[in-house]
């Protein structure tokens, strides 16, 4: 059984992680680590490392003695993920970690940590097929399912994403991550699924927190995206502003990216440009905009205007 399943003792850690409550994950780990069963000690430690990486604490993870020595595939996978996150999307850094992830995946592809960490890296550098092949080796891993759904959606293969959800619901019907992944798919399906996705995020956003200091930024952003699709811009704006207030304005790059989309729809060009200036060069939105700009300029260069512009 997946130690992060709804029935597992690590479910609170896992649920907090996938709601973006990374600081809460570290707090939970510190309180509960001594009580974890021997079989769950390492999986709990791995998700703690992943939370630290998500918080930008790459150097702290990389300086950990276990990670430095990489004495097991789990620790080596975490080290590769930390290096990838630290590289910030640089081409040289991406190439190096891609090779490391590919090599480890070939040697230790049945290891759950290798599947999730290296699968994340491979998908992040655009090696989707290799990531799918690696993640497809999972034996009941919710994290692998979620990554597969994200990859299929990134490839515009809604049918395959739906297939992953159907399979996962046969053995993890009540798992929070399956419900969240189903909301991702619903936002791509459209129609009445927009409302279903909104209900999922609204329920998460309004649920009493296990820790009153924990933020729910990821949930708020999911809710905001659903509101955008439903044409409810004021409600989306309120959710995004709440997310930004929780994270300290520009500290959460995904919140900034969603604010850029919202302000574009609202026609607030000055706000859009101001927000773009705070977005890291390695963020997916900024990289995607650069690719599209290059493609447009390439297409434009093939045509010559048949008129002269008056001086």
């Amino acid at each position: 059984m997946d130690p992060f399943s709804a029935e597992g003792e690590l479910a609170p850690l896992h649920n907090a992680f996938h709601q973006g409550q990374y600081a809460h994950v570290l707090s939970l780990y510190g309180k509960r680590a001594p009580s974890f069963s021997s079989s769950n000690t390492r999986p709990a430690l791995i998700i703690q490392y992943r939370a630290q990486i998500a918080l930008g604490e790459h150097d702290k993870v990389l300086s950990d003695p276990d990670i430095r020595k990489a004495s097991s595939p789990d620790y080596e996978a975490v080290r590769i993920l930390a290096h990838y996150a630290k590289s910030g999307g640089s081409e040289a850094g991406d190439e190096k970690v891609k090779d490391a992830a590919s090599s480890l995946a070939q040697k230790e592809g049945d290891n759950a940590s290798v599947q999730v960490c290296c699968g994340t890296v491979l998908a992040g550098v655009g090696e989707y097929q290799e990531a799918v092949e690696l993640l497809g080796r999972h034996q009941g891993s919710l994290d692998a399912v979620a990554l597969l759904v994200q990859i299929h959606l990134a490839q515009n293969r809604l049918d395959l994403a739906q297939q992953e959800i159907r399979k996962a619901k046969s053995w993890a019907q009540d798992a929070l991550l399956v419900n969240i992944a189903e909301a991702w798919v619903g936002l791509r399906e459209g129609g009445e699924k927009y409302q279903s996705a909104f209900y999922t995020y609204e329920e998460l956003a309004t649920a009493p927190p296990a820790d009153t200091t924990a933020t729910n930024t990821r949930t708020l952003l999911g809710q905001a995206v659903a509101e955008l699709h439903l044409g409810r811009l004021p409600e989306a704006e309120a959710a995004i502003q709440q997310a930004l207030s929780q994270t300290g304005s520009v500290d959460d790059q995904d919140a900034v990216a969603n604010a850029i989309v919202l302000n574009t729809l609202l026609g607030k060009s000055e706000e859009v440009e101001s927000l773009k200036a705070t977005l890291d060069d390695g963020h997916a939105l900024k990289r995607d905009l650069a690719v599209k700009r290059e493609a447009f300029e390439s297409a434009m260069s093939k045509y010559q205007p048949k008129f002269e512009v008056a001086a």
Side-chain angles (χ1 to χ4, degrees):
M1 182 182 74
D2 184 348
F4 301 122
S5 66
E7 298 80 16
E9 67 176 333
L10 302 185
L13 274 177
H14 195 246
N15 291 345
F17 180 86
H18 285 288
Q19 290 182 79
Q21 299 172 351
Y22 305 123
H24 183 44
V25 170
L26 303 185
S27 175
L28 275 176
Y29 179 82
K31 293 175 183 176
R32 302 188 181 189
S35 64
F36 290 139
S37 62
S38 57
S39 62
N40 284 335
T41 299
R42 183 168 292 180
L45 182 59
I46 297 302
I47 202 166
Q48 179 206 226
Y49 287 137
R50 291 171 62 197
Q52 287 179 295
I53 292 169
L55 287 168
E57 299 177 0
H58 324 113
D59 290 330
K60 187 173 182 179
V61 172
L62 290 169
S63 66
D64 185 283
D66 287 326
I67 301 302
R68 282 207 316 272
K69 290 185 292 186
S71 55
S72 77
D74 302 84
Y75 296 142
E76 189 173 353
V78 170
R79 185 172 67 179
I80 291 170
L81 180 62
H83 277 300
Y84 169 67
K86 185 178 180 179
S87 72
S90 68
E91 290 187 16
D94 282 358
E95 191 65 28
K96 187 174 181 179
V97 293
K98 182 193 77 171
D99 291 343
S102 294
S103 177
L104 185 59
Q106 289 174 10
K107 293 185 294 184
E108 302 288 351
D110 291 329
N111 179 286
S113 298
V114 172
Q115 290 167 2
V116 173
C117 295
C118 292
T120 298
V121 171
L122 291 169
V125 298
E127 297 293 335
Y128 292 133
Q129 188 56 44
E130 191 175 353
V132 168
E133 290 174 1
L134 173 61
L135 292 163
R137 298 170 67 172
H138 80 87
Q139 298 294 317
S141 166
L142 292 171
D143 284 293
V145 169
L147 274 170
L148 283 167
V149 169
Q150 290 180 341
I151 292 169
H152 293 322
L153 291 177
Q155 293 183 301
N156 293 315
R157 290 301 307 270
L158 178 60
D159 58 323
L160 295 180
Q162 292 168 325
Q163 187 179 97
E164 288 295 338
I165 294 296
R166 284 195 297 270
K167 288 191 295 185
K169 291 179 76 171
S170 69
W171 54 269
Q173 176 76 35
D174 300 323
L176 175 66
L177 186 52
V178 173
N179 292 332
I180 293 174
E182 188 172 21
W184 299 338
V185 173
L187 289 173
R188 184 62 63 87
E189 287 183 84
E192 63 183 19
K193 296 293 185 178
Y194 287 146
Q195 191 66 47
S196 298
F198 168 76
Y199 286 143
T200 296
Y201 288 116
E202 182 186 44
E203 182 177 356
L204 290 173
T206 57
D211 181 349
T212 56
T213 65
T215 61
N216 59 346
T217 307
R218 289 284 161 272
T219 300
L220 287 168
L221 293 179
Q223 182 179 332
V225 171
E227 298 275 26
L228 287 173
H229 282 299
L230 289 165
R232 302 197 290 242
L233 299 189
E235 290 85 351
E237 186 172 23
I240 289 174
Q241 287 302 323
Q242 188 177 348
L244 286 168
S245 68
Q246 286 187 356
T247 59
S249 187
V250 301
D251 289 345
D252 190 300
Q253 292 284 285
D254 288 335
V256 172
N258 279 279
I260 289 171
V261 174
L262 170 68
N263 282 287
T264 299
L265 293 173
L266 292 172
K268 298 181 178 180
S269 56
E270 290 186 9
E271 285 85 346
V272 169
E273 294 307 314
S274 176
L275 287 164
K276 280 183 181 179
T278 68
L279 198 61
D280 291 342
D281 290 338
H283 191 275
L285 176 61
K286 203 157 191 177
R287 295 171 76 174
D288 189 48
L289 288 173
V291 169
K292 287 181 169 58
R293 184 180 299 107
E294 184 178 343
F296 176 78
E297 290 175 353
S298 176
M300 186 176 65
S301 67
K302 297 176 182 178
Y303 298 91
Q304 295 295 328
K306 295 183 178 181
F307 56 87
E308 293 184 2
V309 178

